[in-house]
Amino acid sequence: MSELTLGIEGTAHTFGVGIVDSDGKVLANAIDMFRPETGGLHPREAANHHGEVAAPTIRKAVAEAGVTLGDIGLVSFSRGPGLGPCLRMAATAARALSSALGVPIMGVNHCIAHIEIGRVATGCDDPVLLYASGGNTQVIAYSGGRYRIFGETLDVGIGNMFDKLGRDLGLGYYAGPKIEKLAMSGGELLELPYSVKGMDVAFSGIMTAALALRRKGHSLEDIAFSVQETCFAMLVEVTERAMAHVGKDELLLGGGVVQNMRLREMAATMASERGARMFVPDARLCVDNGAMIAWLGRLMYESGVRMPIGETVVEQRFRTDEVDVTWRG
Ligand code: FE2
């Protein structure tokens, strides 16, 4: 069997196709992101986008890697968690490709893929992952043969909250970078609910409170600043407690929201105060991408996991801690 793996990501707005070798070297990582013209992310529209770009993105990845489809020995795809229509589209593309090429197929957990690509790309060994993206916000670490969730959002992912807040503030969609830019000019820390419950966090109340502050006449800059400071402090607090609890001294960041430099700064401060090291993969490996799906598929395959095509059903609520981690000793 060829040692090249092609991975297909399609849990939400991004359709990605990556190709990795057996050492986790990324040979290609093509990404095509659905950008709604107005309003939010509609799962059906995003899935239609994925269907349209599937074949060209696969071709692009193969060309980028300088290989042919005949060189691919394993196809993997994101089984979940994610939006049903998007997941089904990515799974369909993967099944078709696996059948056409006559190679095995592997469905993988998207959140764990973020950890494993982070480990191989940055060289960290046993990190606590702060995974902050549009649809997901979790603090994850390996313990007793599984990746356990030590804390997570009780409502929406932090990135989705930023997007919805940005839309309601008139900043357009995918508003995270705009909020970050505005926050740099803000300075007054306005009061927002600090929503940490045990080890979990919640964001929707913060959004409601931020919109109320806007109606009272506070500037976009101060609101953006306060939202970032509050939300990131919550995330960093929970992450720090998870690191203390499991006794790990590596912090790995993953997910699109960790592109935010203020979040990185706060996480780095926490890590250094604990004597821990922080690791951040390249931007294209932090966001949703096919290379991470390919790499986790390869790890699972090498550890002996096999997935008949009839078992390649998607799981919208696929939990990180459902997966037996067979590839870590
Ligand atoms: Fe993700």
Side-chain angles (χ1 to χ4, degrees), residues 110 114 131 133 136 288 292:
H110 172 97
H114 276 289
Y131 171 31
S133 72
N136 296 292
D288 291 351
M292 69 180 194

Side-chain angles (χ1 to χ4, degrees), residues 125-148:
D125 176 47
D126 188 21
V128 169
L129 171 74
L130 170 57
Y131 171 31
S133 72
N136 296 292
T137 301
Q138 297 183 337
V139 176
I140 305 167
Y142 181 74
S143 174
R146 301 247 165 155
Y147 280 112
R148 316 269 173 195

Side-chain angles (χ1 to χ4, degrees), residues 270-299:
M270 177 272 281
S272 82
E273 282 173 0
R274 296 187 54 77
R277 288 205 296 157
M278 185 172 94
F279 300 84
V280 190
D282 289 345
R284 282 178 80 87
L285 294 177
C286 272
V287 298
D288 291 351
N289 67 89
M292 69 180 194
I293 302 299
W295 178 233
L296 178 53
R298 169 58 59 178
L299 288 173

Side-chain angles (χ1 to χ4, degrees), residues 13-273:
H13 48 49
T14 298
F15 189 84
V17 180
I19 297 173
V20 301
D21 71 10
S22 56
D23 297 320
K25 186 177 167 208
V26 177
L27 306 181
N29 201 13
I31 288 170
D32 195 316
M33 193 170 162
F34 171 61
R35 295 182 180 278
E37 286 180 9
T38 54
L41 176 73
H42 191 287
R44 182 73 53 193
E45 288 172 14
N48 289 343
H49 160 269
H50 295 357
E52 279 165 25
V53 305
T57 310
I58 290 168
R59 279 197 291 272
K60 193 174 166 195
V62 167
E64 195 179 309
V67 300
T68 68
L69 278 175
D71 297 322
I72 302 299
L74 174 69
V75 173
S76 70
F77 71 97
S78 51
R79 251 181 100 187
L83 306 169
C86 301
L87 291 172
R88 285 190 287 276
M89 193 60 79
T92 302
R95 288 185 205 113
L97 192 58
S98 151
S99 302
L101 300 177
V103 301
I105 185 167
M106 191 73 68
V108 312
N109 180 288
H110 172 97
C111 308
I112 296 176
H114 276 289
I115 304 179
E116 292 301 346
I117 199 70
R119 287 178 69 217
V120 72
T122 67
C124 65
D125 176 47
D126 188 21
V128 169
L129 171 74
L130 170 57
Y131 171 31
S133 72
N136 296 292
T137 301
Q138 297 183 337
V139 176
I140 305 167
Y142 181 74
S143 174
R146 301 247 165 155
Y147 280 112
R148 316 269 173 195
I149 301 169
F150 285 87
E152 66 187 317
T153 178
L154 296 170
D155 47 29
V156 294
I158 184 170
N160 279 358
M161 190 276 266
F162 279 16
D163 286 337
K164 283 188 189 129
L165 176 65
R167 198 178 59 200
D168 289 352
L169 291 174
L171 304 175
Y173 204 61
Y174 296 137
K178 289 169 196 156
I179 288 174
E180 181 175 10
K181 198 160 173 235
L182 283 166
M184 287 173 192
S185 310
E188 189 191 346
L189 186 60
L190 305 168
E191 198 176 322
L192 290 167
Y194 188 87
S195 308
V196 175
K197 293 163 190 168
M199 288 291 282
D200 296 323
V201 292
F203 297 110
S204 51
I206 296 174
M207 189 183 95
T208 307
L211 291 171
L213 289 173
R214 181 61 180 158
R215 285 194 296 276
K216 283 183 196 158
H218 288 283
S219 71
L220 287 175
E221 288 82 359
D222 285 343
I223 291 170
F225 173 76
S226 306
V227 167
Q228 281 200 174
E229 293 300 305
T230 304
C231 294
F232 295 163
M234 289 159 45
L235 289 184
V236 171
E237 182 201 323
V238 171
T239 306
E240 177 169 28
R241 283 199 273 135
M243 291 177 78
H245 179 74
V246 292
K248 297 192 197 288
D249 60 3
E250 293 177 329
L251 169 61
L252 175 65
L253 302 186
V257 178
V258 308
Q259 299 312 309
N260 185 298
M261 295 314 288
R262 179 59 183 146
L263 175 56
R264 286 193 193 194
E265 184 182 37
M266 290 167 75
T269 302
M270 177 272 281
S272 82
E273 282 173 0

